[in-house]
């Protein structure tokens, strides 16, 4: 008996020692590097491809790579990455040959987007999405867009405003859970839009619906999405731009999911971010005005075919509007402006310059009501009919206050 215990003691020691050395190795070596494959990819950049690429990029790349203060894809701090993963900045992906991806070959960009491995061999962190199922045509379109003369991709010789500091957890996960994906060996075709369910699945996989809407990023199966734990059943813990917890919704046709939603409810929520009960969806669920009605109908048709999961997901609590002192601030949080604009007013869109852009209150109010008539295709929701008529004045007061706070902290630096 004593001998057995002794043996057991040794093996525990060995395990602890191995675990400790592995932890030390992970901490020192950081995110693993790989040898990037060489891909020769010729793309005929056509206006049609650039347009299709712009549509995908504005749903798939812009929220992370656009710095609202440069107005270009120069990279920014990703405020919605949970602190346990460390600090993360995206990169400059403009056409600048030194700071951006102007000198990357088509093959190098494609290899990164498919596998997650950059041209220097670094593994892009798990939250930078990978696109193993996107058709060759659509992937080529995204690359064509990056090459195009769109103002978003105009060369900008700037670095992102900071340097990423991955946490030990991120390093550990990239050693054991998150691995690069294989580069596809066979051609990938876009399903015909007339095959509604197949096309809906294609869109939903490539737009990352399953990635956010299954149980957890860690148990997702990127190569065989349907094998992800809790496929489309929601509950994945995410964060908005002010660091608040937001659980993804259940999209399966279960009563705890979208059973009661009809096609037009769904289309409106997807394209404008407004639910049937007139509440606005929180970031990171961004409105996708880029999608056509037909695209949204296809995704809806596909989601109707997904196995039901019973999972009641709690919605983000928004503070009630108190009649107290700073009513404007309370309204800002009540309507979830903070989910996109953060606590400071800058996030996926920067509202701190609104005072210069819309000097009078009626101008600013008109923008908040109908942003898309000022900026077609914007992801700023239409608030007309959602914000109470008497609430615009205090809310605008608070927006101007956020602008003044930002201006005074800039001038005191
Ligand atoms: C969820 C946020 C997120 C989204 C969405 C996203 N990226 Fe990224 N991307 C990142 C981060 C973070 C990095 C930095 C990776 C690193 O540190 O190595 C990155 C790196 C890159 C790089 C490498 C740049 C370099 O200099 O190493 C390219 C190219 C790129 N992204 C292109 C894209 C494209 C194209 C899309 C859309 C199809 C996209 N990204 C979508 C977060 C994102
Ligand atoms: C970056 C993560 C992310 C992606 C990608 C994403 N969603 Fe969401 N989605 C969320 C979160 C988080 C919520 C919950 C928002 C809230 O509680 O306000 C949500 C909510 C929704 C809702 C509202 C459901 C309800 O019951 O309120 C619908 C519908 C929806 N998403 C559909 C989609 C579809 C379709 C796609 C793909 C085109 C998609 N989402 C992609 C994160 C995401
Ligand atoms: C779903 C994300 C989202 C939510 C929620 C949101 N916004 Fe915005 N907002 C944006 C984006 C993106 C822009 C940038 C507009 C553009 O350039 O297309 C913006 C721009 C603005 C601007 C104009 C800034 C300027 O100078 O041009 C104001 C003002 C504004 N938002 C106010 C609000 C208020 C008030 C709320 C809450 C009632 C709110 N936003 C909620 C995404 C959002």
């Amino acid at each position: 008996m004593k001998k057995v215990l002794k043996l057991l003691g040794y093996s525990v020691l060995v395990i602890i020692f191995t675990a400790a050395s592995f932890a030390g190795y992970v901490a020192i070596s950081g995110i693993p590097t790989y040898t990037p494959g060489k891909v020769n990819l010729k793309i005929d950049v056509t206006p049609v491809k650039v347009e299709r690429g712009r549509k995908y990029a504005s749903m798939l790349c812009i929220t992370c790579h656009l710095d609202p203060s440069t107005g270009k894809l120069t990279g920014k701090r990703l405020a919605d990455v949970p602190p346990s993963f460390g600090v993360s900045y995206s990169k400059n992906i403009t056409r600048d040959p030194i700071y951006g991806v102007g000198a990357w070959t088509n093959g190098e960009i494609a290899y990164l987007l498919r596998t997650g491995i950059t041209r220097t061999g670094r593994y892009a962190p798990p939250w930078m999405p990978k696109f193993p199922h996107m058709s060759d045509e659509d992937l080529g379109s995204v690359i064509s867009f990056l090459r195009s003369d769109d103002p978003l991709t105009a060369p900008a010789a700037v670095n992102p405003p900071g340097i990423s500091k991955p946490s030990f957890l991120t390093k550990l996960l990239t050693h054991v859970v998150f691995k690069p994906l294989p580069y596809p060996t066979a051609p990938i075709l876009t399903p015909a839009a007339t095959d509604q369910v197949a096309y809906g699945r294609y869109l939903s996989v490539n737009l990352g619906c399953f990635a956010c809407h299954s149980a957890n990023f860690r148990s997702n199966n990127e190569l065989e999405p349907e094998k992800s734990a809790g496929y489309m059943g929601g509950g994945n813990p995410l964060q908005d731009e002010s660091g608040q917890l937001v659980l993804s919704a259940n999209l399966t046709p279960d009563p705890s999911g979208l059973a009661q939603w009809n096609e037009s409810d769904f289309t409106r929520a997807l394209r404008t971010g407004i639910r049937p009960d007139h509440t606005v969806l929180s970031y990171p669920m961004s409105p996708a005005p880029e999608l056509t009605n037909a695209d949204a109908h296809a995704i809806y048709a596909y989601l109707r075919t997904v196995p039901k999961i019973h999972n009641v997901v709690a919605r983000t609590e928004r503070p009630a509007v108190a009649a107290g002192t700073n009513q404007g601030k309370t309204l800002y949080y009540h309507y979830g402006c903070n989910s996109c604009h953060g606590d400071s007013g800058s996030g996926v869109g920067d509202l701190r310059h609104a005072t210069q852009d819309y000097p009078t209150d009626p101008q600013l109010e008109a923008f908040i009501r109908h942003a898309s008539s000022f900026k077609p295709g914007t992801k700023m929701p239409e608030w007309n009919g959602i914000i109470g008529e008497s609430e615009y004045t205090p809310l605008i007061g608070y927006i101007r206050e956020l602008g003044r706070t930002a201006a005074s902290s800039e001038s005191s630096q």
Side-chain angles (χ1 to χ4, degrees):
M1 187 66 198
K2 254 195 179 156
K3 218 173 175 182
V4 174
L5 280 181
K6 213 168 171 185
L7 216 72
L8 211 74
Y10 281 134
S11 21
V12 169
L13 269 182
V14 169
I15 293 171
I16 292 176
F17 180 75
T18 318
S21 347
F22 183 63
Y25 162 74
V26 166
I28 293 164
S29 68
I31 293 181
T33 52
Y34 298 87
T35 311
K38 291 261 171 289
V39 179
N40 203 342
L41 190 65
K42 206 180 153 305
I43 299 174
D44 295 317
V45 178
T46 62
V48 174
K49 273 202 187 133
V50 170
E51 205 37 53
R52 195 159 168 89
R54 180 179 292 116
K55 170 174 166 171
Y56 275 114
S58 89
M59 290 185 282
L60 293 171
C61 324
I62 286 174
T63 47
C64 284
H65 284 279
L66 172 70
D67 181 346
S69 66
T70 62
K72 295 185 185 131
L73 304 180
T74 54
K76 66 160 192 167
R77 164 105 196 248
L78 301 179
D80 55 333
V81 170
S84 56
F85 291 114
V87 175
S88 179
Y89 288 85
S90 61
K91 298 263 184 187
N92 182 332
I93 59 166
T94 68
R95 284 182 288 119
D96 189 277
I98 295 160
Y99 293 84
V101 295
W104 290 41
T105 64
N106 294 335
E108 286 167 344
I109 301 178
Y111 198 80
L112 165 66
L113 296 177
R114 292 274 193 219
T115 68
I117 302 173
T118 67
R119 70 169 179 167
T120 59
R122 211 157 26 97
Y123 175 62
W127 40 91
M128 155 87 194
K130 325 290 182 287
F131 301 93
H133 306 285
M134 191 176 271
S135 68
D136 299 327
E137 178 78 17
D138 286 346
L139 197 83
S141 302
V142 171
I143 298 172
S144 304
F145 166 75
L146 293 176
R147 303 280 192 229
S148 76
D149 58 5
D150 191 282
L152 289 171
T153 62
V158 290
N159 277 318
I163 295 169
S164 299
K165 290 191 190 73
S167 69
F168 176 74
L169 177 66
T170 299
K171 293 175 190 169
L172 180 70
L173 289 174
T174 53
H175 279 269
V176 296
V177 186
F178 296 112
K179 297 280 181 181
L181 302 175
Y183 192 82
T185 48
I188 307 180
L189 303 175
T190 319
T194 43
D195 186 350
Q196 221 190 12
V197 171
Y199 190 61
R201 177 187 180 274
Y202 175 80
L203 287 175
S204 82
V205 166
N206 288 301
L207 297 178
C209 316
F210 89 94
C212 284
H213 283 278
S214 299
N216 197 297
F217 289 122
R218 285 176 218 179
S219 45
N220 279 349
N221 186 330
E222 292 193 76
L223 292 178
E224 295 172 274
E226 286 84 352
K227 292 192 178 162
S228 302
Y231 183 67
M232 296 286 190
N236 191 357
L238 304 168
Q239 272 193 21
D240 70 11
E241 285 283 324
S242 65
Q244 194 171 357
L245 175 75
V246 187
L247 299 173
S248 67
N250 182 347
L251 303 186
T252 71
D254 188 77
S256 61
L258 298 184
Q260 279 85 20
W261 289 46
N262 61 32
E263 191 187 60
S264 61
D265 292 338
F266 179 81
T267 303
R268 180 159 82 141
L270 207 56
R271 300 191 63 236
T272 67
I274 299 167
R275 284 196 185 87
D277 68 1
H278 289 218
T279 53
V280 174
L281 293 167
S282 292
Y283 185 84
M285 181 64 210
S286 306
E290 300 86 357
L291 292 175
T292 62
N293 285 338
D295 291 338
H297 296 171
I299 299 174
Y300 181 79
Y302 167 65
L303 287 174
R304 280 336 217 196
T305 69
V306 162
K308 292 177 187 174
I309 293 180
H310 182 77
N311 182 24
V312 181
V313 179
R315 255 191 220 171
T316 313
E317 296 254 349
R318 299 262 164 235
V321 192
T325 37
N326 200 336
Q327 204 198 346
K329 184 174 178 177
T330 319
L331 290 165
Y332 184 81
Y333 288 91
H334 173 71
Y335 286 111
C337 310
N338 63 306
S339 90
C340 286
H341 290 288
D343 295 323
S344 68
S346 170
V348 290
D350 194 342
L351 55 67
R352 299 170 307 172
H353 303 293
T355 291
Q356 287 92 295
D357 298 341
Y358 309 97
T360 71
D361 285 4
Q363 285 168 333
L364 186 46
E365 186 177 318
F367 178 84
I368 298 170
R369 283 182 191 273
H370 301 289
S372 70
S373 58
F374 289 75
K375 292 190 170 171
T378 184
K379 291 186 184 282
M380 164 75 178
E382 295 266 314
W383 291 97
N384 192 45
I386 294 177
I387 294 177
E389 292 301 313
S390 63
E391 292 173 335
Y392 282 97
T393 306
L395 188 57
I396 285 171
Y398 188 62
I399 292 171
R400 299 211 189 280
E401 192 182 316
L402 287 173
R404 280 194 298 275
T405 310
S408 68
S409 71
E410 257 164 42
S411 63
S412 66
Q413 263 167 20

